[in-house]
Amino acid sequence: MDRYCRNVTFSGIGEEGQRRIEESSVAVVGLGALGGTIATHLVRAGVGTLTVCEHDTIDVHNIQRQLLYTEPDVGRPKLHTAVEALGKMNSSVKIRAYDEFLDSNNAERILGGADLVVDGTDRMGPRYVMNAFSVAHGVPYIYGGVLGGYGMTLSIVPPATPCLACVFPPSERMDHLPTCADVGIVNTVPAIIGSMQATEALKVIVGGPHSKDLIIYDVWEQTFDKVPVKKRPGCPVCGSG
Ligand SMILES: [Zn+2]
């Protein structure tokens, strides 16, 4: 417990909360800027098992914001570099690593057994896959997304909360949203949003007061919005279809 004394001393976590963290199994999908930040915080906080999945290699322009990687890592697979770095942060965390991109064919195999799924991806396709897994199995899913100077997060805790498809209904447009490659990204944004997602994850694990709103934080304009969200009765994932 000495290692986690700062967690335990915080009244919102305590000894019971820390025990829950250490017994938890969390999946982080994607190990870029968001996923690297999320995984870093969860490993340092002492989760029992961390499942990670990523199939990309490290590009020099990733280093601007992807905090797990440094210059000598360029050209290496993100997964292996990240697992090595995470293992040095906390050797007591069991890491399950999958050198794959998440899709509907491998989701059950990769995410199965997780108590919680956290989104470190940058596309709607895998997000809808995580959301469908979350609703089907009653496993909380922490959505996050970043673009330009802002980012968003939403804590989905089925069946109590709306799901991702309630808030962002799948459509042709969702498949063609602008990306960081199109409009750029302020490098502090994913570190902030990823930290907020990791915080929401810890709250869900310990039974704390997780957010019920879609949180939108624009670091450039310095605006912070909490947008109330509602279930859609006709949602194809969590509703009547
Ligand atoms: Zn829904």
Side-chain angles (χ1 to χ4, degrees):
M1 275 294 179
D2 230 25
R3 170 173 194 136
Y4 304 114
C5 61
R6 296 300 192 271
N7 278 358
V8 170
T9 307
F10 174 64
S11 63
I13 297 178
E15 276 189 33
E16 171 62 18
Q18 186 60 34
R19 191 183 59 74
R20 289 191 194 183
I21 291 170
E22 287 172 53
E23 287 173 356
S24 68
S25 175
V26 184
V28 176
V29 177
L31 286 169
L34 277 181
T37 300
I38 297 160
T40 294
H41 287 308
L42 294 179
V43 159
R44 289 178 190 270
V47 296
T49 303
L50 182 80
T51 296
V52 286
C53 99
E54 174 61 85
H55 190 56
D56 222 351
T57 52
I58 299 160
D59 202 310
V60 69
H61 64 71
N62 296 150
I63 294 171
Q64 171 241 21
R65 66 197 176 284
Q66 302 191 8
L67 304 178
L68 286 179
Y69 312 125
T70 56
E71 286 179 7
D73 303 323
V74 171
R76 293 186 67 198
K78 286 186 184 177
L79 185 79
H80 300 298
T81 310
V83 167
E84 214 171 271
L86 294 166
K88 284 181 193 163
M89 291 173 202
N90 191 342
S91 57
S92 62
V93 176
K94 183 180 174 214
I95 299 181
R96 299 167 67 219
Y98 293 88
D99 195 356
E100 301 170 60
F101 289 124
L102 187 82
D103 59 35
S104 54
N105 296 316
N106 60 20
E108 293 289 332
R109 176 166 52 82
I110 293 174
L111 304 180
D115 310 316
L116 178 71
V117 177
V118 194
D119 184 354
T121 68
D122 56 2
R123 284 175 304 123
M124 293 309 283
R127 289 181 176 132
Y128 289 131
V129 170
M130 286 180 260
N131 183 59
F133 177 90
S134 159
V135 172
H137 298 280
V139 169
Y141 159 51
I142 314 293
Y143 155 78
V146 294
L147 189 71
Y150 77 101
M152 302 191 275
T153 176
L154 177 68
S155 300
I156 293 155
V157 183
T161 70
C163 81
L164 190 73
C166 289
V167 181
F168 301 113
S171 68
E172 175 85 357
R173 189 170 152 257
M174 284 294 162
D175 297 332
H176 299 97
L177 292 173
T179 67
C180 295
D182 303 318
V183 301
I185 176 83
V186 181
N187 71 345
T188 55
V189 173
I192 293 167
I193 299 295
S195 296
M196 290 164 72
Q197 288 176 268
T199 312
E200 288 299 300
L202 290 174
K203 285 192 276 185
V204 168
I205 293 168
V206 306
H210 69 81
S211 172
K212 307 282 193 298
D213 301 314
L214 174 69
I215 296 171
I216 308 175
Y217 183 37
D218 188 315
V219 305
W220 209 252
E221 301 296 333
Q222 196 58 266
T223 57
F224 186 92
D225 293 296
K226 290 166 77 172
V227 180
V229 291
K230 283 197 300 195
K231 280 197 183 215
R232 276 194 311 133
C235 173
V237 181
C238 75
S240 63

